[in-house]
Amino acid sequence: MKISLRAGERIYINGAVLRVDRKVSVELVNDVMFLLEAQVMQASDATTALRQLYFMVQLMLMNPTDVRDAAALYAQHHAALCAVCENREMLDGLGAIDELVGATRYFEALKRIRALFPVEQAILAGAATVSPFEAA
């Protein structure tokens, strides 16, 4: 896999943080866990249940030698999400995410979680609106 990075950009590879000082292309010739800086979520941005799940999986990807604590938090959070969620698309997505995490395919799990962000946003927007029948 070939990755192009801009000057000053970071990439997280198997727990190591690399920052390049100039534009560069890197070819990863073996199987590694990596995350581009643009895909990294800051703790302050984990403002919804699904974004918190993303952050937990991200921790597992960024520190693959010590996933125990993050995995325990993930398992609790995932179970809680599944217990309260009624949306079929979200439940199916959470099931797929759990399979990916179980197979240590964290990058794919993060992609799947990102794909559910609009679904979560729609659910939250629907919960925030008041039905005209409720207002009467």
Side-chain angles (χ1 to χ4, degrees):
M1 172 177 278
K2 193 171 190 175
I3 299 171
S4 295
L5 302 169
R6 295 182 303 274
E9 194 171 11
R10 292 184 180 112
I11 185 169
Y12 301 80
I13 301 176
N14 284 353
V17 181
L18 306 170
R19 183 174 43 202
V20 298
D21 62 354
R22 63 185 68 97
K23 185 176 177 181
V24 66
S25 291
V26 177
E27 185 175 1
L28 304 173
V29 294
N30 63 343
D31 191 22
V32 297
M33 287 194 238
F34 73 94
L35 196 58
L36 298 172
E37 184 174 18
Q39 299 163 328
V40 174
M41 181 181 291
Q42 301 301 315
S44 60
D45 295 327
T47 56
T48 66
L50 201 56
R51 289 178 181 275
Q52 291 167 359
L53 194 71
Y54 183 97
F55 189 77
M56 293 168 199
V57 175
Q58 173 184 287
L59 290 175
M60 290 186 273
L61 186 142
M62 292 174 76
N63 192 6
T65 58
D66 185 19
V67 299
R68 188 180 67 233
D69 291 343
L73 284 173
Y74 162 83
Q76 291 174 349
H77 196 71
H78 184 271
L81 266 173
C82 288
V84 299
C85 188
E86 297 175 356
N87 179 286
R88 176 54 40 204
E89 185 178 359
M90 184 67 79
L91 286 170
D92 291 346
L94 288 170
I97 291 161
D98 201 43
E99 287 179 24
L100 291 167
V101 168
T104 66
R105 294 174 52 199
Y106 303 130
F107 185 79
E108 290 92 344
L110 291 175
K111 283 177 45 178
R112 189 69 171 95
I113 295 170
R114 280 193 305 271
L116 288 174
F117 284 168
V119 177
E120 180 188 45
Q121 203 56 41
I123 291 169
L124 293 174
T129 60
V130 177
S131 165
F133 301 108
E134 294 174 348

